[in-house]
């Protein structure tokens, strides 16, 4: 009943407080606070997600991977709600130059959320950047553009993908 609500809102307040500490560049305090929130309810994904997000924001990708892995381990049956954990860990792996792990996570994210422009764009762009799965990569980016035609990053990816494949006329159109 009512205790549950109080505890949940307290937890939300603590997470907000940690995010504020982070924006004041008090990362260690934010981390300590969120670790405490996580320890109080070890099955909760929210503090781990916040920790991963903070670490990614500070380019501490190893730490981010650790937190996202802890979160993913708690997910018994991943569904569409969980795409962002795989996406975030995948992009962290990519930054650490661990492409095999990155690709596996991004593909899982895509399976869970096939219409998520961020995932479509990141995976498509990465493949084309590496000169692999070019056709599939183009398909993913084109789908992302259809879903978010007003997103400059995604539209730019399409132009750049055409450029990488020497389709200069097309590239100019999008860039």
């Amino acid at each position: 009943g009512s205790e549950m609500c109080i505890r949940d809102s307290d937890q939300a307040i603590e997470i907000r407080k940690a995010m504020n500490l982070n924006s004041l560049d008090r990362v260690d305090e934010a981390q300590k606070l969120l670790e405490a929130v996580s320890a109080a309810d070890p099955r909760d994904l929210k503090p781990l997600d916040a920790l991963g997000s903070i670490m990614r924001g500070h380019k501490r990708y190893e730490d981010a991977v650790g937190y996202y892995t802890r979160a993913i381990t708690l997910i018994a049956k991943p569904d569409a709600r969980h795409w962002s954990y795989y996406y975030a860990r995948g992009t962290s792996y990519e930054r650490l130059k661990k492409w095999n792990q990155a690709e596996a996570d991004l593909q899982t994210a895509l399976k869970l959320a096939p219409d998520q422009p961020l995932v479509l764009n990141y995976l498509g762009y990465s493949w084309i950047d590496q000169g692999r799965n070019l056709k599939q990569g183009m398909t993913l980016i084109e789908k992302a553009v259809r879903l978010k035609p007003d997103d400059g990053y995604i539209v730019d990816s399409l132009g750049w993908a055409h450029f990488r494949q020497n389709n200069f006329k097309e590239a100019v159109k999008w860039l």
Side-chain angles (χ1 to χ4, degrees):
S2 61
E3 291 129 37
M4 213 32 219
C5 293
I6 292 167
R7 209 180 53 70
D8 277 355
S9 69
D10 282 352
Q11 178 231 42
I13 291 166
E14 292 301 288
I15 291 176
R16 168 73 15 241
K17 220 188 284 179
M19 298 316 266
N20 290 339
L21 285 167
N22 178 54
S23 57
L24 296 169
D25 261 331
R26 291 158 66 182
V27 183
D28 295 343
E29 289 171 76
Q31 188 176 14
K32 268 197 204 77
L33 179 56
L34 288 167
E35 284 284 7
V37 173
S38 181
D41 187 357
R43 312 244 3 112
D44 192 354
L45 299 172
K46 286 192 275 314
L48 296 171
D49 191 23
L51 280 158
S53 170
I54 286 173
M55 293 305 147
R56 262 173 78 212
H58 291 279
K59 297 183 167 36
R60 288 168 58 177
Y61 299 113
E62 285 287 353
D63 293 330
V65 164
Y67 288 122
Y68 290 122
T69 299
R70 274 170 61 186
I72 287 167
T73 305
L74 295 172
I75 302 168
K77 282 189 89 128
D79 62 45
R81 286 172 309 178
H82 302 115
W83 72 270
S84 63
Y85 299 97
Y86 292 92
Y87 171 77
R89 188 174 71 173
T91 60
S92 300
Y93 274 134
E94 191 268 333
R95 295 303 173 93
L96 292 166
K97 309 267 183 273
K98 295 182 175 177
W99 176 245
N100 291 344
Q101 291 102 309
E103 185 177 43
D105 275 350
L106 291 167
Q107 286 181 304
T108 300
L110 192 60
K111 260 193 216 91
L112 297 173
D115 292 331
Q116 188 37 255
L118 287 174
V119 182
L120 290 161
N121 185 54
Y122 206 100
L123 185 56
Y125 184 92
S126 297
W127 276 339
I128 288 169
D129 194 33
Q130 297 169 27
R132 305 171 52 224
N133 304 345
L134 296 179
K135 234 191 167 114
Q136 206 182 347
M138 271 320 259
T139 304
L140 295 185
I141 294 173
E142 284 165 348
K143 183 175 177 183
V145 169
R146 275 199 309 279
L147 290 163
K148 270 203 125 167
D150 53 345
D151 186 314
Y153 284 110
I154 293 175
V155 172
D156 186 63
S157 289
L158 183 57
W160 186 85
H162 280 296
F163 180 81
R164 285 280 290 167
Q165 297 176 72
N166 300 327
N167 309 332
F168 300 121
K169 261 205 185 87
E170 273 298 295
V172 169
K173 227 167 64 183
W174 296 99
L175 293 169

